[in-house]
Each structure stands twice: as C-alpha cells, then as structure tokens.
Amino acid sequence: MTKSHLHLPVPKTLIAFALLHALSPSAHAQSDYVTPYTFTTLAGTPYNAVAVDGTGAGARFIEPYAVALDSSGNAYVTDEATNSIRKVTPAGVVTTFAGQNGTAGTADGTGTSAQFYAPAGIVIDSGGNLFVADSGNQTIRKVTPAGVVTTFAGSPGKTGSLDGTGTAATFGGPSGMGIDGSNNIYVSDEISDVIRKITPQGVVTTIAGAVGIAGSADGPGSGARFNSPYGLTADPAGNVYVADSINNTIRAITPAGVVSTLAGKLNSFGSVDGTGNAAEFYYPVAVSVDGSGNLYVTDYNNNTIRKVTQAGAVTTFAGRTGVYGYVDGTGSQAEFDEPWGTAIDPSGNIYLADLGNYEVRKITASATTSTLAGTPDMGHADGTGAAAEFYLPSGVGVDPSGNVFVADQSNDVIRKITPAGVVTTFAGTPGSNGSADGTGPAAQFNFPYGLAVDGSGNVYVADKGNNTIRKITPAGVVTTLAGTPGAGGSANGTGAAATFNQPLGVAVDAAGNVYVSEGNSETIRKITPSGAVTTLAGTAGASGSADGTGAAARFALPIGLTVDPAGNVYVADATNDEVRKITPAGVVTTVAGSAQQAGSADGTGSNARFFYPTGVVIDPSGNLYLSDYSNNEIRMITPAGVVTTLAGSAASSGSADGRGAAARFNNPDGIARDAAGTLYVTDTFNDIIRKGVFSGAPQISSQPTEQFVAVGGNATFSVTASGSTTLSYQWNL
C-alpha cells in the first residue's frame, strides 16, 4: 500500500474504548488537563469571605494585613484576602477605597475599578498618596488621595531582584514598607532576603542584604544578611528598622546602609524581656516607630506588641503572651490573634491589623486596647455539619474508618468528624492552652498545627506552641512523644531530651516513624517509634532552596509533609514555593516549582508555579495533592512532575462549594486523603472543613472529533473530546 490518508468510518467499539479511557481516573492522573474535583463543606459554617463596609462591628475584614495613617487620622488597611484597600475613619466607618473585593488582578484605575493581588505593606507620603506592596503582582502601586491607582515600580508577574526605575525594576516578594521624611520608600523583599529603597522618582536600589542569600550577619550593604525580613519602618532621618522574622531579631539600617542587630537573640525564640540579645522574640513580623524613636514590634507567635527603645531595651507593651483571643483591655489584659501590621499616630496611639480576629484594633499610648472596626468570626461548637464551629483549623488526617481529625489551632484542641459530619472534641479543652498529658479534655495543647493519623488510628500532632510532638491513641489518651514544653531548639535525642523549633508539619510511615517539619529551624526531623529524634535533612537556622544530602540541603519554612510506602518524604516548602522530595537516605531534590518564583501556573517540574504551598498528601499511585495556600487552590502533581489545578481559583477567594474552578477557598492549609480517594481540606480562614470528591472527566461534547489515518503499514485512530487531550492508538494493518 502506498502512503495515503484515508478517512474511514470509525468502529463504535473503538470510540467507546477511547472515551472510556479518557474518563478513567487512572488515565486522568497522567493527563495534562485539569482533573476536576467537586468540593462541598463537610463541617463548620463558612465565614462570609467578602469584605463588608460599615461602622465598627458592622464592618468585615478578611485578612487585614497592614495599616497606614493620614494626617486626618484615617487608617488605610490592606485587606489581603479580598485584594482591596479599606479606609477606616476615626469614628470607625469602613469603606472600600481601592480594589475589587474578592477579585485579584493587575489593573490600574480609580477606586474599585483598580485591581490588586494580595496587597501587603502600605505607607502614606506627605502628599497623602498611598504606596502598596502588591505582593501577588510583585509590584509597588501608588494610590492618590482621589483613589487613582497606578503601578509605581516593578512589573506585574515578573519576579526578580533587578534594580532600576519604575517598571524596569523587579521584586521577589515585597511585603513590609516604610517611608522617611524625604518620601523615600523602603521595602522588605522577603523572598529575596534584601531591603530595597525607592526614591520619589521611582528609582529602585538594594540598600542591604544579598539576593537569595539568607543569614544574620551585620555589616554594610550587601555584606549584611537577613532571613525572611517581613515588616519594616523608617524614621524621619532615614534610619530603617526591620523585623527579621526567622532570625527572631530586630535590625537597624543607617542611611549609609550599615546593618546592626538592635534586639533579639539569634536562633532562639521566646518572650523574654531584656536588652539587646538578652531579649527574645517569636517570629516578629512588623515594626513601627513613634515620635520619640521607640519601636513597637508585632511579635506574631507570642500574640503581643513589644516596645524597643533606641538602646535596645525590650518590654511587653500589650497582649497576653502565647494566648490567642480578642479581649480588649490594658496591657496584658488584652488578647490578640495573629497580630500583624501596625501604624502610630502623632499622639502615640497604635493601630493594629489583628489578622486572626478580622479586626482593626487601637492601642493608646497608655497600652489600653479597644476595637476600632470589624468583628471576630470564630468559635468552638460541637455538632453536625454547619452547626459545628472551628477557629483557624490547620492540620487534618483520616483514620482507616473514615473519621477525620483536625488540629483546631486557635481553640487549642483536636476535633473528630465522623463520615456523617458529626463533630466532637477529641482531646483538649477549648480556650485552655497548656502542655498537660491526659485523656480527652484533661489534656492540653498550645496552638496545635500539623496532624497525621497512622494505620492503627493513632493521631500525631505538631504542638507548635509547646515545641513538642504529641501522640493520641484511639481512646483519646494524649502523651508527649518527643520534645520538652517551652524548650525550643534543634537538639537530637530521645523523647524529652530532644528539642524542636516551631514544629509545623507531621507525617507517619507504615513502620511508625514520624517526620516533622520545623518552621524556625528549616529542617526535617525523624522520630522513631521509641522516640529517638534525628535530623533527616536541612541545617538548623540555615534557610535556602538548595538540593543535596542531609545537612547540605536547604529549606525555607517547610510545612506540610507526606510519606510514600518506600519511605520517601515529600515536603511543601512554603516560602520557596516548591515541593521537595527526601529519600530515606536524606537526599533532597525538587519535585515541582521554582524557588522564589511565586505564581499559579500549571506545568511540569520547575515550569509549574505555586504560592506558599502548605499541605501535601500522596495517593497509592504516587500522585501528590497540594494545598496551595496563597493561591486558594488545590493542586495535583503526578509522579512525572506534571502539575494541574484540581479546584479553586488564584484570582478569587471565597467559600463557594462547586466543581473545579467554580469552588472557592480562603487559604486552604492542611490536606488529607482517605482510602476511597476523597480529599479533606482545612479551609483555614473560612473556619470550615471541605470535602473533595473526584467528579469525572471534563464535559464531553456531543460530537467528539474522530480521525482514522492509514500511513504505510500502520493505522492510527485519534479522538479529541472537549476539555481533553487527543488520544491516539496505532496498530499494524
């Protein structure tokens, strides 16, 4: 037969076979199109993830991040999850000043016609213009007093660390901002570990730190080192103060670019008051300066506001150390929940974005805290389905019977959800944090974060606030497997002789070995069933993204963990925006994503993009399922490294149930999978637990495209369905 193309009738049996293959879950897992999952709410009542304007408690914030004050006493707040800038008058009247509530984008425009993507830091110049670190877009935006939004520096979607003017410059994670008396703007480029300066003309330079090189060194300019610097502020003379978060220190930068450490103990965390390195912080994230040069630091994991004098003397100004709540009061009577950005008015009043309480708080110069606007949305109620309430749920796991266990972090308890959606409190007592072992409500936890369940139904908990790993039997008996409450560190040893530094993720293998990710130490630890702790990969206090073996590897805020039957551990490396693999021998490689390249692109390996991935779980075929926290998406990674999006949308947060891109999340954190393939997700800022079920292939068009081609001695049949790849089959004629 000569070469020819023959369009012949296609046998119906062959068409049926091809379409059946296209519809099968196993084929789906290896395809390069989106595998759809339908998500519903299993338990909890979704927070209304839409910003609501109003007065006082009638207003709603979703993720208030940073605050700036104008000369009239109006507060401007970046509401990160809703991608908007809110204005709060001195009387507590809240309006949306710029940005489209719930819609992410890059559009310039006026007021609500403009778009932002996860706006973070904010400052205001002497002319009343706002400047916003538009972190998801990697840009700095300018908003005039009339609400006109333009892009001042950086280029949307271009991540990097290039100096230059306006859009010629690039940023790698702009977060905190400060401004001096000459209207120069300072930006903490958190992912790049550098501090940038922007003149009023838009000229961007790097004044301190070395791009991509984390550390803690003092010194001039590029000789200095930072480790995930978040918030910063500047005084009128141009001195810059930085909350160097992972180093747990407060740094100072002179106008000449010389960096020194003002307060805090490197590689140690706590809440100790004192001077210089005798003081301790626990993940400081923001800093403001008053007219006398005193600094006020948001000590995030201590839930306090600390005061630091120019001599480095640190005292606790407001809040109860280690207690999460929303109580107004004076000094330590007040309670906060994940306090973040601050601003100070000429009278010394502090305005605080109390992120976990969805509020803007006011703290007077005499340390009296009141609530200016917003209302907390939280609770603890057992019940069925929507009658139950959670408060910032994080880790999640499933036992062999299909019961779901949840680390209800701000309630300091572990919850149990039956397959019918009945929620009970499994261990701990709501609002009673501590470290006591015991059965059920007699046990205490302190901000439990990660959670995993073994094949026998034992639950393992990363008790973050206690720096311990806890074990709970199916009967609810709680014991401490490793670590000592309140003793932070990175020492290996057995049981209480070992120390941890902010344990976040936890996983357990078939042999009963437990794996732990440490946020502050940037390491992955292994605990044997007898409680012997070793470091599997990473070096304590050394942040980075390097692949390698054991201590040569580097991580940047590793969180979620999962382990396959062969003992390979997979890590959601949050600040690196990557998923990593660790072999039983400790060899670390990167499965997908690219270090410091945040985004939401599907693709293979390093071509894919994530934005702060937190949770990861594996199925028997080796497919990984990922909670892409800041993208509000659920992603899948095949064994070949192909990344697809299963549900959610990077452009919009919310709580809607639905299929694929129609579903909405608000910072999904933990993820688990049962034997039937159902996914369970802690939708953290919605305070709900979501359930995801595979819902079949994309809709097939009524008339798929079919083709039969004969070439030489072979014939090829192809069929293409709507939303699918082309499937081809070849045989000899």
Side-chain angles (χ1 to χ4, degrees):
M1 178 182 289
T2 58
K3 291 182 179 179
S4 63
H5 294 270
L6 302 177
H7 298 279
L8 303 174
V10 182
K12 291 182 179 179
T13 54
L14 191 54
I15 296 174
F17 171 76
L19 292 179
L20 181 63
H21 183 81
L23 289 168
S24 72
S26 60
H28 240 297
Q30 303 302 324
S31 69
D32 60 359
Y33 60 93
V34 173
T35 306
Y37 270 68
T38 297
F39 275 86
T40 56
T41 301
L42 174 65
T45 300
Y47 182 67
N48 182 15
V50 176
V52 176
D53 291 337
T55 301
R60 295 290 185 275
F61 299 88
I62 308 304
E63 284 187 24
Y65 187 99
V67 185
L69 297 169
D70 68 15
S71 58
S72 300
N74 298 297
Y76 296 85
V77 181
T78 52
D79 202 354
E80 186 178 27
T82 65
N83 302 299
S84 61
I85 312 301
R86 316 289 293 284
K87 179 180 179 179
V88 188
T89 70
V93 179
V94 180
T95 54
T96 300
F97 186 63
Q100 295 178 18
N101 183 6
T103 301
T106 64
D108 290 337
T110 300
T112 56
S113 67
Q115 293 176 332
F116 298 86
Y117 183 11
I122 186 170
V123 293
I124 190 166
D125 70 9
S126 59
N129 299 294
L130 296 172
F131 294 86
V132 179
D134 198 7
S135 64
N137 284 319
Q138 311 292 350
T139 56
I140 308 300
R141 313 289 289 280
K142 178 179 179 180
V143 190
T144 69
V148 178
V149 180
T150 54
T151 300
F152 185 64
S155 184
K158 291 185 178 180
T159 301
S161 54
L162 293 176
D163 290 337
T165 301
T167 57
T170 57
F171 296 87
S175 53
M177 299 184 75
I179 191 165
D180 66 18
S182 300
N183 289 327
N184 295 299
I185 297 168
Y186 301 87
V187 180
S188 56
D189 209 349
E190 183 259 337
I191 293 178
S192 295
D193 292 312
V194 294
I195 309 300
R196 318 287 291 279
K197 177 181 178 179
I198 312 174
T199 69
Q201 295 75 38
V203 179
V204 180
T205 54
T206 301
I207 63 168
V211 174
I213 303 177
S216 59
D218 291 336
S222 60
R225 297 289 182 269
F226 300 89
N227 196 349
S228 291
Y230 260 99
L232 57 73
T233 192
D235 66 19
N239 296 295
V240 178
Y241 302 92
V242 181
D244 199 4
S245 300
I246 290 182
N247 282 328
N248 289 310
T249 55
I250 307 302
R251 316 289 290 280
I253 311 174
T254 68
V258 178
V259 179
S260 59
T261 300
L262 179 63
K265 184 182 296 183
L266 180 65
N267 293 330
S268 179
F269 64 89
S271 59
V272 177
D273 289 338
T275 300
N277 62 12
E280 291 180 341
F281 298 90
Y282 194 0
Y283 207 71
V285 293
V287 59
S288 295
V289 60
D290 68 13
S292 301
N294 298 300
L295 303 177
Y296 293 85
V297 177
T298 305
D299 203 1
Y300 178 82
N301 277 340
N302 280 322
N303 284 309
T304 55
I305 307 301
R306 314 287 290 279
K307 179 179 178 180
V308 187
T309 69
Q310 285 293 307
V314 180
T315 53
T316 301
F317 185 68
R320 293 179 63 192
T321 301
V323 175
Y324 298 83
Y326 57 100
V327 177
D328 288 337
T330 300
S332 61
Q333 294 175 343
E335 295 177 1
F336 307 104
D337 185 0
E338 297 186 330
W340 205 271
T342 58
I344 300 178
D345 69 16
S347 300
N349 298 301
I350 301 170
Y351 295 79
L352 170 69
D354 197 1
L355 190 150
N357 280 323
Y358 315 104
E359 295 175 327
V360 177
R361 315 284 289 275
K362 180 179 179 179
I363 311 170
T364 67
S366 58
T368 299
T369 300
S370 60
T371 301
L372 179 62
T375 185
D377 183 79
M378 63 190 75
H380 175 279
D382 290 335
T384 300
E389 293 179 350
F390 299 86
Y391 186 8
L392 298 181
S394 51
V396 61
V398 188
D399 73 10
S401 300
N403 298 297
V404 177
F405 295 85
V406 177
D408 197 3
Q409 55 179 326
S410 286
N411 277 320
D412 295 309
V413 294
I414 308 302
R415 314 289 289 279
K416 178 180 178 180
I417 312 173
T418 70
V422 179
V423 180
T424 55
T425 300
F426 184 60
T429 297
S432 176
N433 63 6
S435 60
D437 289 336
T439 301
Q444 292 178 319
F445 299 88
N446 189 357
F447 211 72
Y449 191 91
L451 183 149
V453 184
D454 69 16
S456 300
N458 297 297
V459 178
Y460 298 86
V461 179
D463 199 2
K464 174 184 168 185
N466 281 322
N467 288 309
T468 56
I469 307 304
R470 315 291 289 279
K471 178 180 178 180
I472 315 174
T473 69
V477 179
V478 181
T479 55
T480 300
L481 177 64
T484 298
S490 56
N492 291 325
T494 299
T499 56
F500 296 89
N501 194 345
Q502 198 182 56
L504 297 175
V506 61
V508 59
D509 67 17
N513 297 297
V514 177
Y515 302 87
V516 180
S517 62
E518 291 185 281
N520 271 1
S521 285
E522 317 283 2
T523 56
I524 309 301
R525 314 286 289 281
K526 179 179 178 179
I527 312 173
T528 67
S530 62
V533 180
T534 55
T535 301
L536 178 64
T539 296
S543 178
S545 61
D547 289 338
T549 300
R554 294 290 182 269
F555 301 90
L557 197 63
I559 299 181
L561 300 173
T562 192
V563 59
D564 69 17
N568 297 298
V569 178
Y570 297 84
V571 182
D573 199 5
T575 304
N576 275 327
D577 301 305
E578 294 176 323
V579 175
R580 317 288 290 282
K581 176 182 178 179
I582 313 173
T583 69
V587 179
V588 179
T589 55
T590 300
V591 175
S594 183
Q596 303 178 14
Q597 301 290 317
S600 64
D602 288 340
T604 301
S606 61
N607 291 321
R609 293 291 181 269
F610 306 101
F611 190 7
Y612 204 79
T614 53
V616 63
V617 69
I618 195 166
D619 71 14
S621 299
N623 299 295
L624 297 170
Y625 302 84
L626 189 73
S627 294
D628 201 359
Y629 183 89
S630 290
N631 276 325
N632 294 307
E633 294 175 328
I634 306 302
R635 317 286 291 278
M636 184 177 82
I637 310 172
T638 71
V642 179
V643 178
T644 54
T645 301
L646 304 184
S649 173
S652 179
S653 63
S655 60
D657 290 336
R659 181 176 184 270
R664 291 290 181 271
F665 301 88
N666 193 359
N667 294 135
D669 195 346
I671 188 168
R673 182 184 183 277
D674 67 17
T678 301
L679 299 177
Y680 299 89
V681 176
T682 53
D683 199 359
T684 300
F685 277 91
N686 279 323
D687 291 320
I688 57 177
I689 312 304
R690 312 292 289 279
K691 179 178 180 179
V693 178
F694 177 76
S695 53
Q699 295 296 316
I700 304 299
S701 63
S702 58
Q703 293 184 333
T705 302
E706 310 150 2
Q707 189 177 47
F708 181 89
V709 180
V711 182
N714 298 317
T716 301
F717 166 74
S718 301
V719 58
T720 303
S722 174
S724 174
T725 54
T726 298
L727 299 171
S728 297
Y729 300 86
Q730 188 178 78
W731 64 96
N732 293 327
L733 290 175

